[in-house]
Amino acid sequence: MALNEQKLQRQFSARRILLPAALGLGVVGYMLYRSYEPEQVQTLLQASLPWLGITLLVLLIRDLGYIYRIHYITDKVLSWKKSFRVIMLWEFASCALPSAVGGSTVAAFILYKENIPLGKSIAQVMVTVLLDNLYFVLAVPVVFLLAQEAAMPALDALTPTMRSSLEIAIIVSYVFVSLYAGLMSYALFFNPKGIKRLLIRISTVKFMKRWRLSLLNHANELLLASRHMRNKSLSYWARASVSTFFVWTARYTIIGCMIAAFTYLSADEHLLVFARNLVYKVILMMSVTPGAAGFAEIAFPAFFGMFLGGFTTVIVLLYRLLTYYLYLVIGAIVFPRWAAYAFSKSNKSEKEKATEEAVLTENPSA
C-alpha cells in the first residue's frame, strides 16, 4: 500500500498534532481576550445540567454509532474492542490531517493492518464514504426547505460579497458531492468496469495527467470494492444506513444541545442551528489546516453567535474541546499502542500481500 509505518508516523508526529492544537487554542484565547466579560463566569456556572448531559449523550451516541457501523460493515471481523480502536484512530486522523484530506485516506490502511484483506478494507471505507455523502445529499435539501435563507449566516456577520461566495461554495460542494455519490453508487452496484474505463479516459486528458496515477488507483479500487459489495444482504445495508443516519444526525445536533445548555432554544431554533451546522461543516472542509484548527474557531461566531452574543467564544472553546481536542488526546494514547501492535508482527503472509497488491495495480486497460 501507499502508506507504511514511517509515513504514518510522520503524519501523526507530535509537531503535526501540537501545532494545529496550539493554533486553535491561540485563536480562542485571542477571542476570549477581546470578548471576555466577568458575568460570563456566572453564565457558565448556571448552565443547564440536563442539556449538558444530553450533549454528552449525543456525543456518546455518535461514537457508538460509528463503532456499531464499522463492526457490521466489516462483517464482524473487527471485534467491538477493535472497532473502538479503529474509530478512535479514524477520528484522530480526521483531527490531525487537513479537513480537505480527512481520516478516510488512512482508514483503509488501518483496516488492512487489522487483518482485513486489502480489497475488502478499501471497499469498506468506500461504503462508509458513500453513505456519509448520501446523508449530506439527502439532508441538505430538507433542512434548506425548512430553514430557507436563515440557514445562511446573517448579513451583518458577512459582507454581501462574502455571502455570495459562500452561497456559490455551498452549491458547488453540493453538486460535487452529489455527482461523486452518484458515480460511486453506479460504479459499485451497476457498472464498475464502465466507470473504470471512464476514469482511465479522463486520466489521458492533458490537464488531468498530473492526477493520472490517482485516477488509475481509484478506478482499480472501485472495481475491487464492487466485487466485495455487490452481493451484500439487505440487512447489511439496512444496518449501515440506519447507523449512518444516527451518526450524522447526532454530529449535527451537538452544537444545538450545547447552546441550549446556556440559553433557551425553541424547536425552530434547534432546526436552524442544525441547518447552519451543515453549512458550517462545508466551510470547514475547505480549510487547509489539520482539523480546520483556527478556521473553525473564527467561523463559529458567524454561524451561531446570534444565539449566544458575547458568550459565543466560551461555547467555541467547549465545542472544540469535546469534538476536536478530546480525540487528539485519545488518539495520542491509542495510536502508539496500535502502531506497536500493528507493525510488530506480520499480519499477513507476504504471498497474500503480493497477490493483493498485484490485483490493485493490475493493468488499467483491463
Side-chain angles (χ1 to χ4, degrees), residues 144-175:
F144 269 83
L145 180 64
L146 296 174
Q148 300 181 6
E149 292 185 0
M152 301 293 290
L155 280 171
D156 58 354
L158 297 174
T159 65
T161 301
M162 292 175 63
R163 184 179 177 88
S164 297
S165 300
L166 179 58
E167 290 173 348
I168 292 172
I170 297 300
I171 294 172
V172 171
S173 298
Y174 182 78
V175 170

Side-chain angles (χ1 to χ4, degrees), residues 326-344:
L326 174 64
Y327 295 99
L328 280 180
V329 172
I330 294 175
I333 296 171
V334 173
F335 177 72
R337 298 179 181 180
W338 175 83
Y341 148 79
F343 295 105
S344 64

Side-chain angles (χ1 to χ4, degrees), residues 50-113:
W51 272 112
L52 287 178
I54 292 172
T55 301
L56 295 176
L57 179 61
V58 170
L59 185 69
L60 180 62
I61 289 173
R62 187 194 75 163
D63 288 342
L64 291 177
Y66 275 131
I67 293 168
Y68 178 91
R69 184 173 70 168
I70 201 66
H71 177 67
Y72 281 97
I73 280 181
T74 58
D75 296 309
K76 301 182 183 180
V77 171
L78 292 181
S79 65
W80 291 111
K81 180 180 179 180
K82 287 185 176 181
S83 297
F84 167 81
R85 185 165 60 199
V86 166
I87 292 304
M88 291 302 105
L89 289 171
W90 199 330
E91 287 291 308
F92 180 50
S94 297
C95 293
L97 298 175
S99 299
V101 177
S104 59
T105 56
V106 297
F109 180 77
I110 294 171
L111 292 178
Y112 176 68
K113 297 304 292 184

Side-chain angles (χ1 to χ4, degrees), residues 94-145:
S94 297
C95 293
L97 298 175
S99 299
V101 177
S104 59
T105 56
V106 297
F109 180 77
I110 294 171
L111 292 178
Y112 176 68
K113 297 304 292 184
E114 291 287 357
N115 290 333
I116 295 176
L118 178 59
K120 284 188 177 181
S121 65
I122 291 172
Q124 289 156 0
V125 170
M126 280 192 169
V127 166
T128 64
V129 172
L130 172 61
L131 292 173
D132 292 343
N133 286 338
L134 286 176
Y135 180 93
F136 178 78
V137 169
L138 296 174
V140 165
V142 174
V143 297
F144 269 83
L145 180 64

